Amino acid sequence: MKLICSGCRSELTASPQTWRCSDCGNPLEVERLPFRPDAIIKDDHSLWRYRAMLAVAEDVPIVTMGEGMTPLIEASFAGQNIHFKLEYVSPTGSFKDRGTTVLVTKLREWGVRRVGDDSSGNAGASLAAYCARAGINAEIFVPAHTSIQKKRQISTFGAKLRQIEGPREKAAEAVEKAVATTALVYASHAWSPYTYEGTKTVGYELWEQFRGRAPDCFVSPVGQGSLFLGAYRGFKDILAAGLISQLPRMIGVQSDACAPIADAYKDGVDRCAVITKRLPPSIAEGIALQAPIHDREILNAVRTTRGEVIAVSDDEIRSAQRELAEAGFYVEPTSAVVAAALRKARLNGVIVATLTGSGLKAPPNDLT
Ligand SMILES: [Zn+2]
């Protein structure tokens, strides 16, 4: 499968070292495969039921732990009927496993033995787990302020944990330096186009769970956009197949402690401004990115679908986390942002709100 640059549209050949466009530096996408309901493997209750629509050859052994096909649970919340998509019901407790299963399958196919990634925690834990299963050595670079539960999860899977002082971007700089100077392969969940091959299946799944319909609104935390953009691509594939007549409104939620995408949306611009000052850490650590690499694509998805980007405060997130728990949903603060946004947004129709990471990763008593 070819890789296509999201910026200059150059075509590149996939390889372990190809994680961004060599011409313009923008993120790459895997050449699109059409959505084909007739090819769904109905008795496979994981996202690999869509294997014919994923960029993995038929004869390649996959690295899987049954990820995907997460519950869709209806509940009354903030005076509205909401369909909560429980992405925290995943092998490592977050939606990241969707992308990791495809990414690590490709890494093993290529014969890669040693990888590195930078993460705010959940992607690192996911990569550590799937690399353990695939027999690949992993080094995970995390901000030193990452929750202790996520750090323990990463090192318990046997990955080498590198703690980097400063904002999330410093961890990215550290891994890029290690990749440039050692034999480490950059298995970046944020950059790799294979991540989005995995996360696009959330759109496919929702279409199946709603019996051949898409929701009217899709609400998700947005930082690097791996779930948000994956879902958007999944819905676009279904639209292109003529199976729905319009895309859901794509609604992204950020923490107002670090909200470059919400600010760009408000300002009507198509790229985020560069934030150079050091921001205070937000309790929504999973989406606290000062320089999101997919900003243009995220803003385009929002505007194309008449969606919006909502910023919520740490206090609103804390209340929402407790409120969700009172309804039976135990999520980390990064996930609770969607519930805080449901209180602010005016949404109509069938609303899906994704709950992306387990509360076990950052319980409320750590926060007060
Ligand atoms: Zn390019």
Side-chain angles (χ1 to χ4, degrees), residues 228-306:
F228 189 82
L229 280 179
Y232 176 62
R233 289 176 193 179
F235 291 131
K236 275 210 305 186
D237 290 346
I238 299 168
L239 183 73
L243 296 164
I244 53 174
S245 56
Q246 65 174 16
L247 296 168
R249 291 184 66 207
M250 298 297 294
I251 295 156
V253 191
Q254 297 215 285
S255 154
D256 64 12
C258 180
I261 298 169
D263 290 344
Y265 168 72
K266 205 168 53 190
D267 294 343
V269 295
D270 63 1
R271 297 297 309 251
C272 292
V274 177
I275 302 175
T276 48
K277 65 175 180 183
R278 187 166 177 171
L279 300 176
S282 164
I283 57 166
E285 59 187 5
I287 49 172
L289 287 133
Q290 293 189 201
I293 58 179
H294 294 276
D295 54 345
R296 187 165 37 196
E297 296 146 283
I298 294 166
L299 288 159
N300 176 58
V302 170
R303 295 203 172 102
T304 304
T305 62
R306 301 161 294 104

Side-chain angles (χ1 to χ4, degrees), residues 22 93 162 176 226 268 274 285 293-294 315-316 361:
S22 48
R162 307 269 193 211
E176 284 184 42
S226 49
V274 177
E285 59 187 5
I293 58 179
H294 294 276
D315 283 346
E316 289 170 325
K361 287 165 173 282

Side-chain angles (χ1 to χ4, degrees), residues 5 8 21 24:
C5 173
C8 68
C21 178
C24 73

Side-chain angles (χ1 to χ4, degrees), residues 134-367:
I136 296 171
N137 294 313
E139 285 182 38
I140 309 296
F141 295 67
V142 300
H145 59 74
T146 294
S147 81
I148 186 71
Q149 289 83 357
K150 292 179 187 177
K151 290 193 275 202
R152 281 194 190 131
Q153 194 182 7
I154 291 166
S155 54
T156 305
F157 284 129
K160 206 176 275 181
L161 183 70
R162 307 269 193 211
Q163 299 192 54
I164 310 296
E165 293 296 335
R168 169 72 178 76
E169 280 72 15
K170 291 285 174 200
E173 284 170 24
V175 73
E176 284 184 42
K177 195 171 162 199
V179 167
T181 53
T182 67
L184 210 62
V185 166
Y186 192 17
S188 171
H189 70 282
W191 283 97
S192 173
Y194 294 100
T195 300
Y196 300 85
E197 279 296 283
T199 56
K200 74 181 183 184
T201 60
V202 76
Y204 298 174
E205 255 178 57
L206 286 166
W207 179 82
E208 280 203 86
Q209 286 174 318
F210 284 115
R211 299 182 190 281
R213 289 187 55 203
D216 298 300
C217 300
F218 178 88
V219 191
S220 161
V222 65
Q224 211 58 278
S226 49
L227 186 66
F228 189 82
L229 280 179
Y232 176 62
R233 289 176 193 179
F235 291 131
K236 275 210 305 186
D237 290 346
I238 299 168
L239 183 73
L243 296 164
I244 53 174
S245 56
Q246 65 174 16
L247 296 168
R249 291 184 66 207
M250 298 297 294
I251 295 156
V253 191
Q254 297 215 285
S255 154
D256 64 12
C258 180
I261 298 169
D263 290 344
Y265 168 72
K266 205 168 53 190
D267 294 343
V269 295
D270 63 1
R271 297 297 309 251
C272 292
V274 177
I275 302 175
T276 48
K277 65 175 180 183
R278 187 166 177 171
L279 300 176
S282 164
I283 57 166
E285 59 187 5
I287 49 172
L289 287 133
Q290 293 189 201
I293 58 179
H294 294 276
D295 54 345
R296 187 165 37 196
E297 296 146 283
I298 294 166
L299 288 159
N300 176 58
V302 170
R303 295 203 172 102
T304 304
T305 62
R306 301 161 294 104
E308 57 188 303
V309 187
I310 297 164
V312 294
S313 71
D314 276 9
D315 283 346
E316 289 170 325
I317 298 168
R318 281 191 191 92
S319 306
Q321 187 183 24
R322 292 204 167 83
E323 228 177 320
L324 283 170
E326 283 160 18
F329 304 112
Y330 193 49
V331 302
E332 63 169 312
T334 302
S335 300
V337 298
V338 297
L342 290 172
R343 291 222 163 272
K344 290 187 153 181
R346 290 163 191 268
L347 305 176
N348 294 307
V350 177
I351 303 162
V352 167
T354 56
L355 298 179
T356 49
S358 167
L360 298 171
K361 287 165 173 282
N365 61 4
D366 273 4
L367 311 172

Side-chain angles (χ1 to χ4, degrees), residues 4 41 46 64 71 73 86 112 121 155 211 214 266 314 335 358:
I4 298 158
I41 306 162
S46 79
T64 180
I73 304 297
L86 306 194
V112 170
S155 54
R211 299 182 190 281
K266 205 168 53 190
D314 276 9
S335 300
S358 167

